[in-house]
Amino acid sequence: MQTTSSVATIQAVVNTASEGQNSTVPPTWGSLHPYQTNVLGTVLAITGNVLISISLNIQKYTHVRLLCQESPMPYYKSKLWWCGIVLMGMGELGNFAAYGFAPATLVAPLGCVSVIASAAISVVFLKETLRSSDILGGSLAVLGTYLLVTFAINVQQEITATKIHKYIVSWQFLFYLALEFILFVILLYLYKRRGMKHIVLLLLISSLLASLSVISVKAVSGMVTSSIKGQIQFQYPIFYVMLIIMITSCIFQVQFLNQAMRLYNATEVVPINFVFFTTSAIIAEQRNTEKIQPELSNINSYGTVHDGEQTADSPSEDAK
């Protein structure tokens, strides 16, 4: 009996020590509060968009400097242009990580940061003119971003290969993809055959490619995040399909964006591109939300009180 009680006492001490040790283990990504993941995604998106704004202005400076030469070489042979591309890659990597922590309806509007930063950089370093309409447009962009981030749906769910596969074979997505394809073919015909190079045409083509980029980036980053949390997604073919779509759409998007930067000022290109990109990203995310996201009764908007917190802080109906 004495031996049994001693063993029980030792086991209790070991269990107590184990519980104390486990309590000091830092929380994993899966245990983070939705508010914390949204803040992390916001910080990553803001950092990435600042790098993108610097990158766009470096590319614009490269085009301006090449035009001043007697025999200008192609811009893709310039080392300075490639420095801008590297910075853009780093910025897009930050946005890629942001999509893994926060919904696209939160990350995409934060492109407003690149609009404001690009306007300041282009005026100071590229000596472009800042008009009153630019200031008004920037102010409206900031206000719109605040409204979108404040009242957007706070969707928190794990994205898996199975959910992505169900989404892309749904008739809603196929209809949306068909409309995008038809519009893209029309715009590409006007650009290639008719020689139209208006800024709106170029950035519309870029935004159509951007909608595919948003869908694929959200899918790939979500599956990578789920894999880090323990649900491995790399064995599914849909992961590599989305990865190829992401890389391809980003490459062609950069090509048309550079064409617009070469022909027009950065203070014109960046704000228009931000509007088109944000609109296409929200539409693409809305199609995604309708198909695979949780029911609206389980979703809280940014700034709202969660059901559990409201129950704890407010008296119950029986008490009233």
Side-chain angles (χ1 to χ4, degrees), residues 144-172:
T145 300
Y146 170 76
L147 293 176
L148 282 172
V149 172
T150 302
F151 298 104
I153 298 298
N154 182 3
V155 179
Q156 292 294 337
Q157 71 139 9
E158 290 186 355
I159 297 179
T160 61
T162 304
K163 293 179 181 179
I164 295 298
H165 183 266
K166 290 181 180 179
Y167 166 56
I168 63 175
V169 298
S170 64
W171 71 267
Q172 294 97 330

Side-chain angles (χ1 to χ4, degrees), residues 6-274:
S6 300
V7 172
T9 302
I10 295 173
Q11 184 65 32
V13 172
V14 171
N15 291 336
T16 303
S18 300
E19 292 176 359
Q21 184 178 2
N22 291 334
S23 63
T24 60
V25 175
T28 60
W29 286 0
S31 63
L32 290 177
H33 191 274
Y35 174 78
Q36 294 175 314
T37 60
N38 288 335
V39 170
L40 181 57
T42 300
V43 172
L44 290 172
I46 291 175
T47 304
N49 283 305
V50 170
L51 291 177
I52 290 174
S53 64
I54 297 174
S55 164
L56 291 174
N57 282 276
I58 290 178
Q59 294 175 56
K60 176 62 180 179
Y61 177 74
T62 303
H63 293 307
V64 171
R65 195 175 69 170
L66 291 176
L67 288 175
C68 296
Q69 298 179 357
E70 295 182 358
S71 56
M73 63 179 179
Y75 64 87
Y76 51 82
K77 292 185 178 181
S78 172
K79 294 181 180 180
L80 186 61
W81 183 82
W82 279 107
C83 290
I85 289 297
V86 171
L87 285 177
M88 177 173 282
M90 295 172 62
E92 293 295 349
L93 185 62
N95 282 333
F96 173 84
Y99 280 111
F101 291 101
T105 49
L106 173 62
V107 176
L110 291 175
C112 173
V113 175
S114 66
V115 176
I116 305 302
S118 180
I121 294 172
S122 61
V123 170
V124 174
F125 294 100
L126 298 180
K127 306 303 180 183
E128 294 184 1
T129 304
L130 185 64
R131 300 163 297 182
S132 58
S133 58
D134 297 329
I135 299 176
L136 177 61
S139 302
L140 292 176
V142 173
L143 177 60
T145 300
Y146 170 76
L147 293 176
L148 282 172
V149 172
T150 302
F151 298 104
I153 298 298
N154 182 3
V155 179
Q156 292 294 337
Q157 71 139 9
E158 290 186 355
I159 297 179
T160 61
T162 304
K163 293 179 181 179
I164 295 298
H165 183 266
K166 290 181 180 179
Y167 166 56
I168 63 175
V169 298
S170 64
W171 71 267
Q172 294 97 330
F173 177 76
L174 294 177
F175 180 73
Y176 171 74
L177 191 62
L179 287 179
E180 274 214 343
F181 179 76
I182 294 173
L183 183 58
F184 181 80
V185 170
I186 294 173
L187 294 175
L188 196 61
Y189 170 79
L190 295 176
Y191 172 73
K192 291 289 187 180
R193 297 296 182 181
R194 298 295 182 179
M196 297 178 60
K197 297 182 180 180
H198 194 273
I199 183 173
V200 174
L201 178 68
L202 293 172
L203 295 180
L204 272 176
I205 296 176
S206 179
S207 66
L208 290 177
L209 294 170
S211 65
L212 292 179
S213 299
V214 169
I215 294 173
S216 56
V217 167
K218 182 66 178 176
V220 172
S221 60
M223 285 187 281
V224 169
T225 303
S226 297
S227 300
I228 294 175
K229 293 179 179 179
Q231 300 181 15
I232 306 300
Q233 305 292 314
F234 302 132
Q235 72 271 23
Y236 297 100
I238 191 63
F239 174 81
Y240 301 97
V241 171
M242 286 296 173
L243 184 62
I244 293 174
I245 294 175
M246 180 185 71
I247 296 174
T248 305
S249 60
C250 287
I251 291 175
F252 286 103
Q253 182 185 349
V254 169
Q255 179 181 353
F256 285 102
L257 187 59
N258 265 276
Q259 181 72 0
M261 292 290 292
R262 187 174 66 87
L263 298 175
Y264 301 95
N265 291 334
T267 52
E268 297 174 332
V269 174
V270 177
I272 297 176
N273 182 66
F274 163 70

